[in-house]
Structures are given as structure tokens and as C-alpha cells.
Amino acid sequence: GIQVEQSPPDLILQEGANSTLRCNFSDSVNNLQWFHQNPWGQLINLFYIPSGTKQNGRLSATTVATERYSLLYISSSQTTDSGVYFCALGGYNKLIFGAGTRLAVHP
Amino acid sequence: DAGVIQSPRHEVTEMGQEVTLRCKPISGHDYLFWYRQTMMRGLELLIYFNNNVPIDDSGMPEDRFSAKMPNASFSTLKIQPSEPRDSAVYFCASSSGAASYNSPLHFGNGTRLTVT
């Protein structure tokens, strides 16, 4: 099956810092999404990005499908960015989630 | 839109009891998914439906688990009998259309199940 590896597993930032989260995957996919799970447990869809680059405010994501990786950029981090970031990918409908990157942003 | 609605938010039950989790997907979404999240195993897909029909239930852990979708606006996940190792957060999610056509997955707030 598809293997998903996220790095780093944990990240601590000071407010205002930038960061890059990485997702490596083992097979070609046509569905890749990034999610944020906030400290209250809610899972929020950030990006649907099987290829190319998208931006939404301070967040942006790039997927290079041919090289089987995706990056999530967080600029000018805020304490509200804390939580776990998941990369999820797979075939048309069956998304497999990575283990996540746990981010803590300190004021 | 109210988003994906799950109930109850929390469920505490004793081992051996039947547990029923409920989900209302976003109106118009034709795919519905049940996931389970634990510290040890992360987020696991249990089963998903398309147009109310179960498509892939390979993630259902054992026969004690069953899921139904009697109509487009309602699904249940039932555990009978429940065991302590079933304790987890159960998420329902929905999406519209084939996932290859820009169909992001939307999650409910989850049901935290504790089996004592």
C-alpha cells in the first residue's frame, strides 16, 4: 500500500518564525490533501493539492508529484497555528493519513 | 452549511454494551467516510460509502463493527459488543464527487468513545 512519511515529527517555533513541513510518499497519487488538527481535536482541510502550488494567506503548499513529495509552508507563525498537521493521500477516494507533524508555536 | 454533524460528542460506556455513533454529512456530498483516531495507530479509515452504498470496508477491525447509510443524510457506526480497546475518537467525513476533481474532505468534530 501507499506509504506516507511526514517530517519533522515535532516542531517548536517562536511566534513570527517561518517553517516548512514535508510529506514524502511511495507511489504516484491523484489525491493529496493537507489538514490541521487544532488543540481541540478539530480536523480542518487546508489544501487539496495533488500537484502544483497553492496559497491561502500565510499558508502555502507545493506538491511535486514526479518526485513524490509535498511541502507545507507556514509563514509568520502564530500561536493559533499550533496543533498537528497531517498529509493525506491515496487513490481517488481512499485517503491514507501520515503520522503528522506536531507544531507548537510559543508567544 | 452546518458542516458534518456527529453525535454524541462524548460517549462513555461499559464493556459489552452496544454503542451507536451517528453522522450527518454535508448536504449534496455523495461520499461519506468513517475514520478512527488513536495515539498508537493514528487516523485509520474504517469504511466509506458512495451514494449510500458501502464501497470499501477493509478497515473495519472486526465483526463487532458495522456501518450503515440508510439515506443520503444519515449514517451510523455501531459497535456490539464494545471493548476497552475500542476507545478512540471516531470521525465522520464527507466529500463531493470523485476525489480527483478537487473534492476536499470535510470532517465532523468527532465522537470521543471511552469503553470501561
Side-chain angles (χ1 to χ4, degrees):
Chain A
I2 297 170
Q3 303 297 315
V4 184
E5 289 186 4
Q6 292 189 242
S7 60
D10 296 280
L11 187 58
I12 300 174
L13 298 175
Q14 287 297 124
E15 203 168 25
N18 303 327
S19 63
T20 301
L21 282 57
R22 187 177 181 100
C23 173
N24 291 335
F25 45 95
S26 59
D27 296 298
S28 59
V29 294
N30 50 25
N31 184 354
L32 189 149
Q33 304 185 32
W34 283 95
F35 295 83
H36 174 221
Q37 187 166 36
N38 64 27
W40 296 271
Q42 295 174 311
L43 278 158
I44 308 298
N45 192 296
L46 298 176
F47 293 103
Y48 176 99
I49 185 161
S51 63
T53 298
K54 289 187 178 179
Q55 180 152 9
N56 184 1
R58 296 180 297 102
L59 303 182
S60 65
T62 295
T63 297
V64 183
T66 54
E67 297 186 24
R68 299 182 181 171
Y69 72 88
S70 183
L71 303 174
L72 178 69
Y73 304 96
I74 304 174
S75 64
S76 303
S77 59
Q78 301 177 357
T79 55
T80 52
D81 295 331
S82 296
V84 183
Y85 289 81
F86 291 101
C87 167
L89 63 159
Y92 284 91
N93 295 302
K94 190 172 178 176
L95 280 182
I96 305 301
F97 280 73
T101 291
R102 184 172 300 275
L103 173 65
V105 181
H106 296 311
Chain B
D1 196 318
V4 177
I5 299 173
Q6 291 186 247
S7 64
R9 288 283 282 130
H10 301 275
E11 177 79 38
V12 180
T13 191
E14 291 184 347
M15 182 175 64
Q17 297 298 305
E18 178 179 294
V19 175
T20 299
L21 312 181
R22 297 173 174 79
C23 175
K24 175 179 168 52
I26 292 173
S27 177
H29 282 189
D30 52 358
Y31 286 86
L32 183 140
F33 305 80
W34 283 100
Y35 281 86
R36 177 172 69 176
Q37 186 176 35
T38 61
M39 289 293 293
M40 290 297 295
R41 300 175 68 89
L43 273 160
E44 304 173 275
L45 176 64
L46 300 178
I47 185 172
Y48 79 90
F49 295 82
N50 176 218
N51 290 324
N52 313 337
V53 176
I55 302 301
D56 186 341
D57 65 354
S58 60
M60 296 285 263
E62 48 195 276
D63 292 344
R64 297 184 297 106
F65 286 70
S66 63
K68 294 182 179 180
M69 193 165 185
N71 57 62
S73 59
F74 184 65
S75 177
T76 59
L77 178 67
K78 186 176 293 186
I79 308 172
Q80 166 64 16
S82 57
E83 296 182 4
R85 60 192 167 121
D86 301 331
S87 298
V89 180
Y90 291 81
F91 286 100
C92 177
S94 69
S95 68
S96 65
S100 60
Y101 292 99
N102 196 15
S103 303
L105 194 61
H106 296 272
F107 280 86
N109 287 333
T111 294
R112 181 174 296 276
L113 173 65
T114 302
V115 184
T116 61

